[in-house]
Amino acid sequence: MLSRVIAVSASGLKSTAPLGAGLVQASRSLHTSSPSLAPVPPLPEGGKVRHGIVPEEFFQLLYPKTGATGPYMLGTGLSVWLLSKELYVINHETVAALTVGTVFVLAVKKFGPSFASTMDKMEEEKTAWIEDVKDQAMACYADAIEEEKKEQWRVEGRSMLFDAKRNNVSMLLETNYRERLNHANHEVKRRLDYQLALQHLKVRMEKEHMVNWVEKNVVGSITAQQEQESIAKCISDLNVLAKNIQAKATA
């Protein structure tokens, strides 16, 4: 009975005008799209209410037309209309509902603040724990970013090291090439010097052989008489030369 009355009242009020954030949210269709992996923004804080359940927007909606007592008169008239039309019949369920509502209101009034403070404390602890986890994760990510930057710097240095090694290898190859070229030049020069010395030796031997051959033939062609005449001629030339030197000395 109570559920039927609430459904009828909600449909009647919703057909006239929006009643507030609660009924508007209840009338919306469910979100059926695929879930997103993006961070969910925090839920907005609830609006102001009167008497614990009636939204402030409902009073603000009726205030320009009915004044300050309009919402209360609307609620009273609606209740009287429901009772007069026997859309809602007072029975034992009504007494039970009033009893449960009274107990609920008293429980909320008595235990609500302490329960709210306990829940707020638990929420603060949970929020602090989440913030701590977030800070630790951000610190880990910051360290990972720094390590990645260091690795990138090492990679850049590695390219420079490879360039230096390539330059060293190129210098070693150039040095080896120069050494082999110098060695080849030395060997070629040594062999050319050997060929030149060999040619000089050959020319000198030919000259000596020619001189010896000429001297031998000349000596062999001179007779004993020619040798004596030559010796006598030399002795006479020496005597004439000696006389000339003496004459020059005495003069």
Side-chain angles (χ1 to χ4, degrees):
M1 179 65 72
L2 183 60
S3 62
R4 184 171 64 85
V5 172
I6 293 173
V8 172
S9 302
S11 62
L13 292 175
K14 187 169 66 173
S15 63
T16 58
L19 298 180
L23 293 179
V24 171
Q25 292 293 334
S27 64
R28 290 179 180 176
S29 61
L30 296 176
H31 185 68
T32 58
S33 62
S34 60
S36 176
L37 299 178
V40 179
L43 294 176
E45 295 292 336
K48 295 181 180 181
V49 294
R50 293 187 185 182
H51 308 292
I53 57 173
V54 183
E56 181 67 24
E57 289 80 0
F58 177 73
F59 294 92
Q60 297 297 330
L61 178 66
L62 298 179
Y63 180 77
K65 295 181 180 180
T66 62
T69 60
Y72 302 101
M73 294 302 298
L74 177 62
T76 304
L78 181 61
S79 299
V80 172
W81 178 75
L82 291 174
L83 293 174
S84 66
K85 295 297 183 179
E86 294 185 356
L87 295 175
Y88 180 77
V89 180
I90 298 176
N91 53 15
H92 63 283
E93 290 184 356
T94 304
V95 177
L98 292 174
T99 304
V100 172
T102 303
V103 172
F104 181 75
V105 170
L106 292 176
V108 170
K109 293 292 184 180
K110 184 175 181 59
F111 303 105
S114 61
F115 180 76
S117 62
T118 303
M119 294 303 295
D120 291 339
K121 184 178 180 181
M122 293 176 62
E123 184 67 22
E124 290 176 358
E125 292 177 354
K126 184 177 180 181
T127 304
W129 176 76
I130 293 174
E131 289 293 333
D132 188 15
V133 172
K134 185 185 74 172
D135 293 338
Q136 292 179 1
M138 291 180 66
C140 293
Y141 292 149
D143 294 338
I145 291 172
E146 292 297 328
E147 292 295 331
E148 182 64 23
K149 290 181 179 178
K150 289 182 180 179
E151 291 299 327
Q152 292 178 0
W153 176 73
R154 291 191 181 99
V155 169
E156 294 177 357
R158 187 180 301 172
S159 63
M160 296 175 63
L161 178 61
F162 287 162
D163 293 337
K165 287 185 176 181
R166 281 193 289 266
N167 291 331
N168 291 335
V169 171
S170 300
M171 292 177 65
L172 290 175
L173 292 175
E174 184 67 21
T175 303
N176 190 11
Y177 170 73
R178 296 291 181 180
E179 290 179 353
R180 296 176 67 179
L181 186 63
N182 188 20
H183 178 71
N185 186 18
H186 178 71
E187 291 295 326
V188 171
K189 184 176 181 300
R190 187 175 63 84
R191 294 183 181 182
L192 291 176
D193 292 340
Y194 172 75
Q195 295 294 331
L196 182 60
L198 186 62
Q199 291 179 1
H200 289 169
L201 178 62
K202 183 178 179 181
V203 171
R204 185 169 60 81
M205 294 297 292
E206 289 177 353
K207 288 182 179 179
E208 291 179 355
H209 178 70
M210 182 62 67
V211 170
N212 293 330
W213 180 76
V214 171
E215 183 179 358
K216 182 179 179 181
N217 290 330
V218 171
V219 172
S221 63
I222 297 174
T223 60
Q225 185 179 359
Q226 290 177 350
E227 186 176 358
Q228 290 178 0
E229 291 177 354
S230 177
I231 293 171
K233 181 71 168 66
C234 290
I235 291 172
S236 63
D237 291 336
L238 289 173
N239 291 327
V240 172
L241 183 60
K243 289 179 180 180
N244 292 329
I245 290 174
Q246 288 177 0
K248 289 180 181 179
T250 55

